[in-house]
Amino acid sequence: MAGRGSCRRGREQLELERLGEAARAGSCPPSPPLSACSRQAWSRDNPGFEPEEEAAAAAAAAGPVLEMDVEWGSPAAGASSSLGSGAAGPGGDGRRQRQRRVPAGRGGAEVPSRPPLPPDGAAPHRAAWAKRLARRLRGLWGTRLMEESNTSRERYLKSVLRELVTYVIFLVVLCVLTYGTVSSSVYYYTRVMSQLFLETPVSKMEKTDFKTLSTMDDFWKFTEGPLLDGLYWEMWYNNKTMAENKSFIYYENLLLGVPRIRQLKVRNGSCSIPEDLKDEIKDCYDVYSVANEDTAPFGLRNGTAWTYTNEKDLNGSSHWGLIATYSGAGYYQDLSRTREVTAVQIASLKKNLWLDRGTRAAFIDFSVYNANINLFCVVRLLVEFPATGGLVTSWQFQPVRLIHYISTFDFFLAACEMTFCIFVLYYMVEEILEIHIHRLHYFRSLWNCLDILIIVLSMVAIGISIYRTSTIDMLLKKLLEDQNSFPNFEPLAYWQMQFNNIAAVTVFFVWIKLFKFVNFNRTMSQLSTTMSRCVKDVIGFAIMFFIIFLAYAQLAYLVFGTQIDDFSTFQDCIFTQFRILLGDFNFTEVEEANRILGPIYFTTFVFFMFFILLNMFLAIINDTYSEVKSDMAQQKAEMELSDLIRKGYNKAMIKLKLKKTTVDDISESLRQGGGKLNFDELRQDLKGKGHTDAEIEAIFTKYDQDGDQELTEHEHQQMRDDLEKEREDLDLDRSSLPRPLSSRSFPRSLDDSEEDEDEDSGHSSRRRGSSSSGVSYEEFQVLMRRVDRMEHSIGSIVSKIDAVMVKLEAMERAKLKRRDVLGRLLDGVTEDERLGRDNEIHKEQMERLVREELERWESDDTASQMSHRLGTPLGLNGQPRSRNSRPSSSQSDGIDGGGGNGGNNIHV
């Protein structure tokens, strides 16, 4: 323990000596060669430091240079390195140090400058390697939420820009995937199929089509006419037969398997009959529900058309119709692949009264495939028989792409799918890291919740896609084995539609998330700020709005619901009223439904909802927007994302010598201005050359020392000198980058090295971590020069404050003089009145006093201006005023009292 303490004290003593020598050397010029004494001291205290000139000379004299990577894994090794001796001792820090250049001796033997690697150094080596790997991997997921709170604005924006670029690539991949599977062919495919089955008349003598069916007789006419004609295309237009036992609708769409017709029934007695009418009404069939569903055989009582089959055996699913939601079970009949056999089957069903009073829904299902565009079309025609009588028709044409990876473009989409999965995995890891860092605070941000929602939707879409791809192969294989069976593509079509819906919602939210990055622009952020400020007022007013809105909706539903289709349900009433607010309404129907309440309802609704309440919403938003705009105009200008992009572009153009630097632009503007250039002229000139307002204001804040909003030759020369010093610092920094790290300094992190590459950030300071032994010589010199420049800037600020104090003191003197003169004049008038003196004599005395005071004020003003030009502010007694001097308490009180009278003459 005693040996370890003595080693530590010796190391601390050497460190103090090194810092003292560095402080004395800091006043020297930054780049002259080191003396022999200083080189010896630095090489003694900092063995890892080796000046470039000395290293080059040693390398030339010594011969070959060896590359060594030494691992200091034990305390003994650390102590020996800090003491500069070969003997091992306790007290080391165990950190890994690198010495890359070790010259060989004159005799050709290698001169070891470090003790050999301890045998137990493998574990720290692996730990350091693991830490570096973890740091680099974490750098891949670096976002602004992972940045420290004290991170600079520019580094913060760099993280945002990197995140934005990654997100834009993800957005492009997602759009390629979603839009790559959709084309105009899908719409035309749906349109021609719907025209064939929905708009074809049931006969040449009647104009009734599927959309206008009204009775069961019309249904049978449709199945025997347009349905058979549309399903079976066995002849060409020249009466030549097509391929045997195959049907190609429109000569292009192959009918897959056979069609199926299915019905659902309710049992008799499912509803109650009043006692007074039981003698007249014997049968009663309630509206459809699963509980009222009839499962008993009927009619011929043989075959699937007359016996009930449950949903599981049919591999069906429920369907949401216009009147009710129907199960996937029922009585079904599979038709044939030929027209003749199918016509016989339909005739048999019609003859034996397959449809009766208990029928509530009839389904016609079939599927076709078009190889030209690689699309399936799953068709379902639904005829609902409500308990009121008559029938209601609806339909579904679902074009889906179930077979993938055929063409070259399909394989490109497959690559995009893999890229999309990688992006989803990437963002999952990113969100996990952010949740690990911020815990529950992570979920307080709406954008973070949106990120989670996008990832969940993406995972669901990936799962549906995998299920769809794996299922279609088995279904097609089964279909090819038995072409006389019904291919149930309805579940696949259902999942495909769900996939399309999820993809559409995901794309919507992904595009919405772009506002997260656009908000970093000052102008674009006005929208989000306005909405966030007025959200409480809008919600409070929306409650009142919807109370009145829903009151009108209930009134319309009760008054017009039995006569107008747009008001037939309460939901339709709500949507119809929104349409009225947008100007889409039919006043004639409302008036015909009720001649008294109709016009009253319409007039009052438009007046209160449109002219008053809707405009109140706009007024709230407009007032908030005005407040936000005025607040942003008063805020301090900060670097924006567009400024960072413009800055990088300007740097690239300057490096390519396609654009001048900022100092060259200012020099040119100064030459054109004849030696002086005010703020407005410089701002207009530099704005045209691509510079930001923040950069221009920073120039004037730093170099306009006299506060006259003009850059003189002297101020411009000072600016050029500072920039030249900055360039020297940057050159020195760049020259020191490839050099080996000092044994007394830690390696910089990846983020720090990226920050050091920025040459135009106004300061090129490096946040290099260092051990308790100090920093390298070059870093110390750079820091010394920066401290000098900081003191110079502080001196400029102090001089401006002194100028303000001088002007305030001059105002106080003028105030006291005015008070003295007015008192003397008042005393003179009072004395003349008391003694009865002549007025002429009194006027002459007053003129003489006023003239003397005016001359005195002019002389004081001239002296103040001369002292301001010479830069030597005067005190109250006209003596030069020291920089650290401050007015007394009485003077301070006078200044506070006089600031209101002469505040407009102060110019900082």
Side-chain angles (χ1 to χ4, degrees):
M1 293 297 293
R4 182 176 303 176
S6 62
C7 291
R8 185 179 296 108
R9 287 192 296 271
R11 185 172 54 186
E12 292 175 354
Q13 183 66 26
L14 291 176
E15 177 63 17
L16 293 175
E17 294 176 2
R18 187 183 68 80
L19 290 177
E21 293 173 2
R24 291 190 295 272
S27 59
C28 301
S31 58
L34 296 172
S35 64
C37 181
S38 63
R39 286 199 301 268
Q40 182 180 4
W42 277 97
S43 61
R44 180 180 68 250
D45 295 337
N46 192 357
F49 171 76
E50 188 175 35
E52 293 180 0
E53 295 83 3
E54 183 180 1
V65 179
L66 303 179
E67 296 288 329
M68 296 186 64
D69 191 356
V70 182
E71 178 73 25
W72 300 92
S74 65
S80 62
S81 64
S82 63
L83 293 173
S85 63
D93 56 358
R95 293 187 179 272
R96 183 185 180 187
Q97 307 292 338
R98 297 177 60 92
Q99 175 155 347
R100 303 179 58 188
R101 304 181 65 89
V102 180
R106 294 183 180 274
E110 298 178 3
V111 180
S113 61
R114 294 288 184 270
L117 182 66
D120 59 344
H125 176 72
R126 288 193 297 268
W129 179 83
K131 289 181 179 179
R132 289 197 301 270
L133 179 61
R135 184 171 61 249
R136 291 181 180 275
L137 289 177
R138 183 174 179 178
L140 294 176
W141 284 275
T143 62
R144 63 192 179 284
L145 290 180
M146 300 181 187
E147 294 288 347
E148 298 178 356
S149 57
N150 57 352
T151 304
S152 64
R153 176 70 176 178
E154 185 169 358
R155 184 172 176 182
Y156 179 78
L157 290 178
K158 285 183 179 179
S159 300
V160 173
L161 182 60
R162 181 176 60 179
E163 189 177 356
L164 174 61
V165 172
T166 305
Y167 188 76
V168 168
I169 297 174
F170 169 71
L171 177 60
V172 171
V173 172
L174 180 60
C175 290
V176 170
L177 282 178
T178 52
Y179 298 132
T181 57
V182 179
S183 65
S184 58
S185 301
V186 179
Y187 166 72
Y188 291 120
Y189 193 24
T190 306
R191 191 181 71 172
V192 297
M193 295 298 294
S194 61
Q195 287 177 347
L196 178 62
F197 291 98
L198 302 181
E199 299 178 6
T200 303
V202 295
S203 65
K204 296 181 179 180
M205 303 300 295
E206 300 181 28
K207 295 183 179 181
T208 304
D209 54 19
F210 182 81
K211 295 180 180 180
T212 58
L213 298 180
S214 58
T215 63
M216 288 186 180
D217 185 50
D218 292 337
F219 173 80
W220 289 116
K221 290 180 181 179
F222 168 78
T223 55
E224 293 173 342
L227 180 63
L228 292 180
D229 295 338
L231 288 175
Y232 302 101
W233 292 56
E234 299 176 351
M235 303 290 292
W236 283 94
Y237 53 85
N238 60 354
N239 294 328
K240 289 186 177 181
T241 58
M242 298 179 62
E244 183 179 0
N245 208 23
K246 291 184 179 180
S247 175
F248 286 88
I249 301 174
Y250 282 117
Y251 309 111
E252 301 292 347
N253 304 282
L254 174 64
L255 178 63
L256 300 175
V258 297
R260 170 177 290 180
I261 183 171
R262 176 174 62 95
Q263 74 157 325
L264 287 170
K265 302 179 62 178
V266 294
R267 62 180 180 272
N268 187 11
S270 55
C271 57
S272 58
I273 303 175
E275 294 291 337
D276 297 338
L277 299 176
K278 281 187 176 180
D279 296 337
E280 302 293 334
I281 301 175
K282 302 297 182 181
D283 301 326
C284 180
Y285 298 90
D286 200 358
V287 296
Y288 175 82
S289 65
V290 178
N292 296 332
E293 194 170 308
D294 189 4
T295 59
F298 74 103
L300 301 180
R301 296 179 179 272
N302 59 352
T304 57
W306 310 98
T307 56
Y308 181 83
T309 306
N310 57 36
E311 183 175 323
K312 182 178 179 181
D313 294 337
L314 286 177
N315 192 23
S317 59
S318 60
H319 180 86
W320 185 17
L322 297 178
I323 299 177
T325 300
Y326 304 97
S327 68
Y331 307 86
Y332 73 94
Q333 174 68 54
D334 288 340
L335 303 180
S336 176
R337 294 183 58 84
T338 61
R339 179 188 178 95
E340 291 76 11
V341 177
T342 301
V344 172
Q345 292 174 335
I346 293 176
S348 175
L349 295 176
K350 179 180 179 181
K351 179 180 179 182
N352 293 281
L353 201 63
W354 190 62
L355 298 180
D356 57 14
R357 290 184 58 190
T359 302
R360 288 292 175 261
F363 299 85
I364 301 174
D365 299 311
F366 59 93
S367 303
V368 296
Y369 173 71
N370 191 310
N372 300 332
I373 54 178
N374 188 25
L375 281 178
F376 290 82
C377 187
V378 182
V379 182
R380 167 166 287 182
L381 305 177
L382 172 61
V383 180
E384 299 178 76
F385 300 89
T388 59
L391 54 86
V392 179
T393 59
S394 59
W395 53 88
Q396 278 187 355
F397 293 85
Q398 303 179 45
V400 292
R401 187 185 302 274
L402 300 177
I403 300 178
H404 299 275
Y405 317 126
I406 296 178
S407 63
T408 305
F409 184 72
D410 292 337
F411 287 103
F412 170 73
L413 292 179
C416 293
E417 290 176 353
M418 297 177 61
T419 306
F420 176 78
C421 295
I422 294 174
F423 268 110
V424 172
L425 181 61
Y426 171 84
Y427 282 116
M428 287 179 60
V429 176
E430 177 182 297
E431 301 307 318
I432 291 173
L433 291 176
E434 292 179 354
I435 293 174
H436 176 72
I437 294 174
H438 299 279
R439 304 296 180 180
L440 295 179
H441 295 278
Y442 172 87
F443 297 97
R444 293 184 179 181
S445 174
L446 179 62
W447 296 115
N448 295 337
C449 298
L450 182 61
D451 292 337
I452 298 296
L453 178 60
I454 291 175
I455 292 176
V456 171
L457 292 176
S458 301
M459 294 298 296
V460 173
I462 292 173
I464 293 176
S465 179
I466 295 174
Y467 168 78
R468 178 193 60 191
T469 304
S470 60
T471 306
I472 187 61
D473 295 335
M474 295 185 297
L475 188 59
L476 287 178
K477 183 179 180 180
K478 181 180 179 181
L479 172 64
L480 294 176
E481 292 176 355
D482 186 7
Q483 298 183 4
N484 292 320
S485 62
F486 169 72
N488 189 7
F489 285 94
E490 195 273 333
L492 286 178
Y494 169 79
W495 286 114
Q496 178 63 35
M497 296 303 296
Q498 301 307 315
F499 175 82
N500 294 340
N501 295 335
I502 293 175
V505 174
T506 304
V507 171
F508 171 78
F509 284 126
V510 168
W511 276 100
I512 291 298
K513 189 184 171 182
L514 281 180
F515 280 102
K516 180 180 181 180
F517 304 99
V518 173
N519 284 340
F520 287 97
N521 183 277
R522 189 184 184 92
T523 304
M524 298 298 180
S525 62
Q526 293 181 2
L527 174 62
S528 60
T529 308
T530 301
M531 297 306 298
S532 61
R533 286 193 182 183
C534 70
V535 63
K536 293 184 178 180
D537 295 335
V538 169
I539 291 176
F541 190 77
I543 295 175
M544 181 176 62
F545 175 86
F546 281 105
I547 288 176
I548 302 176
F549 187 86
L550 294 177
Y552 272 104
Q554 296 181 30
L555 172 64
Y557 175 62
L558 296 176
V559 175
F560 314 116
T562 59
Q563 303 179 47
I564 303 177
D565 181 60
D566 291 339
F567 297 93
S568 58
T569 63
F570 185 72
Q571 295 85 351
D572 290 339
C573 290
I574 294 176
F575 294 125
T576 302
Q577 290 188 159
F578 279 117
R579 290 168 52 192
I580 293 175
L581 292 178
L582 297 176
D584 181 17
F585 56 87
N586 190 343
F587 176 74
T588 304
E589 290 184 350
V590 175
E591 186 181 17
E592 291 177 353
N594 194 313
R595 294 185 178 181
I596 298 176
L597 293 179
I600 295 176
Y601 158 80
F602 182 81
T603 304
T604 56
F605 177 80
V606 171
F607 177 76
F608 287 107
M609 303 302 297
F610 183 78
F611 289 104
I612 297 180
L613 297 180
L614 189 62
N615 285 285
M616 286 293 294
F617 273 115
L618 300 179
I620 293 173
I621 297 175
N622 287 334
D623 292 343
T624 308
Y625 178 77
S626 301
E627 295 176 0
V628 170
K629 195 171 183 180
S630 61
D631 292 344
M632 286 190 171
Q634 298 174 2
Q635 291 178 359
K636 181 181 178 181
E638 292 184 348
M639 176 178 285
E640 298 180 356
L641 197 59
S642 58
D643 297 332
L644 181 64
I645 297 174
R646 188 183 300 110
K647 182 177 181 180
Y649 170 77
N650 293 334
K651 287 175 58 178
M653 297 298 290
I654 291 173
K655 288 183 179 180
L656 296 175
K657 297 182 179 180
L658 299 177
K659 187 176 181 180
K660 297 180 180 180
T661 61
T662 306
V663 65
D664 294 332
D665 291 337
I666 297 176
S667 301
E668 183 179 354
S669 301
L670 193 60
R671 286 194 299 270
Q672 293 176 359
K676 283 191 175 182
L677 194 66
N678 59 30
F679 177 76
D680 295 333
E681 294 176 354
L682 181 64
R683 181 178 181 275
Q684 183 177 2
D685 191 10
L686 294 184
K687 284 286 286 184
K689 295 178 180 179
H691 300 285
T692 62
D693 291 332
E695 295 175 352
I696 302 171
E697 292 176 2
I699 292 172
F700 267 86
T701 303
K702 185 174 182 180
Y703 296 103
D704 187 20
Q705 299 180 3
D706 53 5
D708 59 353
Q709 294 292 310
E710 289 185 354
L711 285 179
T712 62
E713 288 284 1
H714 174 71
E715 294 168 346
H716 182 255
Q717 184 62 35
Q718 182 182 0
M719 181 186 64
R720 291 183 63 88
D721 295 341
D722 291 345
L723 290 176
E724 290 299 330
K725 291 180 181 179
E726 186 71 20
R727 287 175 179 171
E728 293 177 2
D729 294 343
L730 293 173
D731 293 339
L732 181 59
D733 295 341
R734 284 196 297 267
S735 64
S736 63
L737 283 177
R739 299 205 41 234
L741 291 173
S742 171
S743 62
R744 296 185 180 271
S745 61
F746 297 162
R748 289 179 297 165
S749 64
L750 178 63
D751 295 334
D752 293 336
S753 62
E754 291 176 356
E755 183 179 2
D756 293 341
E757 293 175 2
D758 188 1
E759 300 177 4
D760 299 328
S761 62
H763 61 85
S764 58
S765 62
R766 293 177 174 80
R767 295 182 297 173
R768 298 178 180 175
S770 62
S771 65
S772 60
S773 302
V775 297
S776 64
Y777 177 72
E778 295 96 334
E779 292 174 327
F780 182 77
Q781 291 293 332
V782 171
L783 291 175
M784 287 295 295
R785 289 195 296 274
R786 289 174 182 165
V787 170
D788 293 338
R789 288 199 300 273
M790 186 182 299
E791 291 179 352
H792 173 73
S793 301
I794 294 174
S796 175
I797 296 173
V798 172
S799 64
K800 294 179 181 179
I801 295 176
D802 290 339
V804 174
M805 298 299 296
V806 168
K807 292 189 178 182
L808 291 176
E809 292 168 359
M811 290 165 50
E812 177 63 18
R813 291 198 304 271
K815 179 181 177 182
L816 295 176
K817 290 179 181 179
R818 287 197 300 271
R819 185 180 300 171
D820 186 19
V821 170
L822 292 176
R824 290 165 60 185
L825 292 177
L826 182 60
D827 293 341
V829 172
T830 305
E831 185 68 20
D832 291 341
E833 291 179 354
R834 186 175 63 83
L835 299 177
R837 294 181 181 177
D838 189 5
N839 291 334
E840 295 295 332
I841 300 175
H842 174 64
K843 289 181 179 179
E844 291 177 359
Q845 291 178 353
M846 291 180 61
E847 290 177 359
R848 185 176 67 255
L849 290 174
V850 171
R851 190 177 298 107
E852 290 176 357
E853 293 300 328
L854 289 177
E855 292 176 355
R856 189 177 304 169
W857 292 352
E858 290 177 358
S859 63
D860 292 342
D861 192 11
T862 303
S864 176
Q865 292 180 0
M866 291 297 294
S867 64
H868 181 69
R869 293 177 181 176
L870 295 176
T872 58
L874 299 177
L876 287 172
N877 298 325
Q879 298 297 329
R881 187 171 173 272
S882 63
R883 177 167 295 177
N884 295 328
S885 64
R886 292 291 181 268
S888 62
S889 59
S890 60
Q891 294 171 356
S892 301
D893 295 337
I895 291 172
D896 295 337
N901 298 330
N904 296 329
N905 297 325
I906 300 176
H907 181 66
V908 181

